Amino acid sequence: MKVLVINGPNINFLGIREKNIYGTKNYENLCSYIKDESKKLEVDVDILQSNIEGEIIGYIQDAYEKYDGIVINPGAYTHYSIAIYDALKSVSIKTVEVHISNIHSREEFRRKSVTAPACIGQICGFGFYGYIMAIMGLIKEDEV
């Protein structure tokens, strides 16, 4: 199985931003963790990050017919990017939305995801492990 992990705005500032919410591990720690755990699951994974909505849409469109699944953390775009929602729907690749923090226990505006309905599921609040849970969900979904 081949999975594309897409991280949205400010995820590259892990370890710098809001340590009380996101912890002290940095973006490189996250990428290494995902790659190491994916190897154990025998999943080929590529990881991309952008702070720019159009680039994220480009990553999604470029995944068409190249990947079996997408794991996406749209960051703040979660709450208002109909364009990312449309891109996910257009490629018909099984996708899981993931968030490091529990978006449902944070500010009211963070509790609504406009991108999650384009996904087979949403995982939030489990830190870095949420990415692995998302990949495992794609594996199980692929077995059905």
Side-chain angles (χ1 to χ4, degrees):
M1 173 173 248
K2 191 168 184 175
V3 173
L4 177 62
V5 175
I6 302 172
N7 285 300
N10 299 309
I11 305 302
N12 59 313
F13 258 48
L14 289 173
I16 298 169
R17 67 183 285 227
E18 299 174 285
K19 293 177 187 176
N20 60 319
I21 295 172
Y22 299 104
T24 58
K25 292 184 179 174
N26 65 28
Y27 185 67
E28 291 76 26
N29 297 142
L30 173 63
C31 293
S32 294
Y33 176 70
I34 293 168
K35 288 176 184 176
D36 291 346
E37 294 300 314
S38 294
K39 282 180 191 169
K40 295 175 190 175
L41 296 170
E42 299 179 358
V43 172
D44 183 18
V45 67
D46 292 320
I47 305 170
L48 300 171
Q49 188 276 331
S50 179
N51 294 318
I52 302 168
E53 184 180 31
E55 286 183 1
I56 293 169
I57 292 164
Y59 296 158
I60 294 166
Q61 291 176 350
D62 289 345
Y64 182 68
E65 295 186 336
K66 295 178 188 165
Y67 290 90
D68 304 303
I70 295 173
V71 172
I72 187 166
N73 182 340
Y77 292 130
T78 300
H79 316 294
Y80 66 88
S81 182
I82 303 302
I84 290 175
Y85 167 89
D86 286 344
L88 290 169
K89 292 293 278 186
S90 71
V91 296
S92 299
I93 299 171
K94 292 176 182 174
T95 302
V96 177
E97 181 176 294
V98 65
H99 298 281
I100 295 167
S101 69
N102 181 352
I103 63 172
H104 303 288
S105 68
R106 295 186 62 196
E107 303 94 336
E108 185 66 35
F109 70 88
R110 293 187 194 276
R111 297 177 188 172
K112 169 96 169 110
S113 171
V114 299
T115 51
C119 302
I120 61 170
Q122 180 194 69
I123 297 169
C124 63
F126 290 94
F128 288 7
Y129 183 60
Y131 287 83
I132 307 312
M133 294 169 71
I135 291 168
M136 291 168 44
L138 288 169
I139 292 167
K140 292 298 180 192
E141 183 72 20
D142 197 50
E143 293 173 356
V144 175

